Amino acid sequence: MALVQPPQLRDTDMLQVFVYHTAPNSEKNHQFEMLGRRMLDAAYVAAIAQGTNPGRLGNTNLQTQIEDFANHWVGIYGWRGLMKAVPPGVDLNNRQESLRIFRTYVGAVYATYGDQALFQWIAAIA
């Protein structure tokens, strides 16, 4: 089975997504993350509810499921290795850091392509 690729972002957005959120001039990163925060929740719930096992939504805490999902796909896509301007001592393998990276990408996808493309991508990997 082929790996489902995420929607491709413009080069300028890729730079914003993969710069650490505390770096100078990272305002767009923060905007993408805030947008991705709500959109990831909505897309994930929709994907699971419409999938083959909607009962999964009741099995564990939703936020824990989303964190696991984000952590998994950040690793599969190799996104930790793309991060720039990461301060010393920051562990990009930390679940919260993985969630931040994934949410930021999700926000950029939504800003670029809208909700249909975002929901289709999340449904394909959920």
Side-chain angles (χ1 to χ4, degrees), residues 8-19 25-32 82 84 104-105 108-109 111-113:
Q8 187 62 45
L9 300 176
R10 296 180 293 253
D11 289 345
T12 55
D13 288 342
M14 288 289 285
L15 288 172
Q16 291 300 318
V17 167
F18 294 112
V19 66
N25 301 316
S26 63
E27 294 82 17
K28 187 100 175 192
N29 175 286
H30 182 70
Q31 292 170 354
F32 285 152
L82 299 178
K84 307 289 186 237
T104 304
Y105 200 97
V109 168
T112 302
Y113 298 108

